[in-house]
Amino acid sequence: MGKYFKYAIGEILLVVIGILIALQINNWNENRKNRITEADYYCRILDDFELNEKLIDETTELTTHKIKLCKELLLDLNTIPNKRSDILNKFVLALRQDVFVPSNIAFEEITSSGQLKLLTDLELKNRLIRHSTFLNNILNLLQENRNEIISRMSEFDSATNFGFQDIDYLNKTLDKEHLDLLPKNNWNNEPDNPLFLKFQDNLVFFVAMLVRQKQHLANLKTEMQEPLKLLQAKNCQ
């Protein structure tokens, strides 16, 4: 019986040891998979950051060009006589809404799937969380800017009296018989005309909003430099 019990205990120990080894191997394998996934997330987030940096530069350049157009328009408007169609077509180019849409796919995927725990670099993880909050705030500010501009553009009581029919894409769509039905005026050559004064006032307001947009984008680019450097230190290939 003593030999039997020794044998049984030995068998049990072997089973326990086998289970512990299997669990250890499984944990090691799981940790290895997590580290691979974590490294992949860092690289994907880095790709988003680098793309966003380019988008900021491109949007800033477009905004600078629109400021230039608005300033030229102020001079053109006050150079009398001027042609209303030239003024309004330049106005459309200056106020075209180029929306900044950043890429934040990788970080949103991590947070929405509950995988944020995979990021073991606590400094970088906390910095990415703060950046996400900052980015959302900037996007809200930029949206407020656009809303203000759109609101100002819709203040003109009569689109046809203002002259929207002179804008190229609309002018080419409407036939002469339609255009002949619309109001004819020369407000752009009448400095005391309410339309002239409102249009001039809006141009100054638009320049202010565009400058503000550039400031928001500059703040975002500055803020993202720290997490960007932390991500680049991960040596993604």
Side-chain angles (χ1 to χ4, degrees):
M1 288 295 292
K3 290 182 179 180
Y4 173 77
F5 279 120
K6 289 180 181 179
Y7 177 79
I9 291 171
E11 288 289 322
I12 292 171
L13 287 174
L14 287 175
V15 170
V16 170
I17 291 171
I19 291 173
L20 291 174
I21 292 173
L23 287 173
Q24 186 66 27
I25 292 173
N26 185 64
N27 288 337
W28 175 84
N29 192 47
E30 192 66 28
N31 288 333
R32 184 181 64 84
K33 288 180 181 179
N34 288 342
R35 297 294 72 79
I36 292 172
T37 302
E38 178 186 14
D40 180 62
Y41 274 136
Y42 287 142
C43 293
R44 288 173 57 195
I45 295 172
L46 175 60
D47 288 342
D48 284 343
F49 266 73
E50 291 176 342
L51 174 59
N52 289 342
E53 201 169 32
K54 291 179 182 178
L55 290 174
I56 289 172
D57 290 340
E58 290 172 0
T59 307
T60 299
E61 185 177 347
L62 289 170
T63 305
T64 300
H65 179 63
K66 288 193 283 188
I67 291 172
K68 178 175 178 288
L69 286 177
C70 284
K71 290 166 68 177
E72 289 175 358
L73 262 172
L74 275 171
L75 297 176
D76 293 345
L77 181 67
N78 286 278
T79 302
I80 297 173
N82 59 62
K83 191 175 179 183
R84 191 174 70 175
S85 60
D86 292 342
I87 294 291
L88 294 184
N89 279 297
K90 198 174 213 179
F91 169 72
V92 169
L93 290 176
L95 274 301
R96 185 178 61 192
Q97 295 296 299
D98 299 298
V99 181
F100 171 67
V101 182
S103 177
N104 200 29
I105 298 172
F107 190 74
E108 287 179 353
E109 179 184 314
I110 295 173
T111 53
S112 63
S113 63
Q115 296 300 306
L116 197 58
K117 61 187 177 183
L118 291 180
L119 304 187
T120 58
D121 187 331
L122 295 182
E123 179 187 8
L124 178 52
K125 177 165 70 173
N126 291 332
R127 194 62 187 80
L128 290 174
I129 292 171
R130 294 205 308 274
H131 173 74
S132 180
T133 301
F134 189 90
L135 175 61
N136 288 330
N137 288 336
I138 289 293
L139 292 177
N140 288 334
L141 291 171
L142 292 174
Q143 182 61 53
E144 288 177 9
N145 266 23
R146 289 194 295 275
N147 291 342
E148 289 288 342
I149 290 175
I150 292 170
S151 175
R152 283 276 183 143
M153 288 179 68
S154 62
E155 281 184 356
F156 296 100
D157 296 331
S158 170
T160 54
N161 199 43
F162 178 64
F164 272 98
Q165 63 272 19
D166 286 350
I167 298 172
D168 282 344
Y169 65 82
L170 187 56
N171 191 266
K172 291 175 181 178
T173 302
L174 296 173
D175 298 326
K176 185 178 182 302
E177 60 182 326
H178 302 124
L179 294 171
D180 288 342
L181 297 172
L182 303 178
K184 304 290 189 299
N185 63 65
N186 200 31
W187 64 262
N188 49 295
N189 284 299
E190 301 169 1
D192 294 328
N193 190 302
L195 281 174
F196 184 104
L197 295 173
K198 181 177 283 190
F199 185 74
Q200 181 173 248
D201 183 60
N202 281 353
L203 285 175
V204 175
F205 177 80
F206 294 154
V207 170
M209 290 294 99
L210 292 170
V211 170
R212 189 181 176 196
Q213 176 172 299
K214 284 183 65 175
Q215 291 171 343
H216 291 325
L217 292 171
N219 290 339
L220 177 59
K221 186 172 181 178
T222 299
E223 194 278 338
M224 67 189 293
Q225 294 310 305
E226 184 183 359
L228 180 59
K229 288 179 181 178
L230 292 173
L231 288 165
Q232 289 170 338
K234 296 301 179 181
N235 296 320
C236 292
Q237 300 297 324

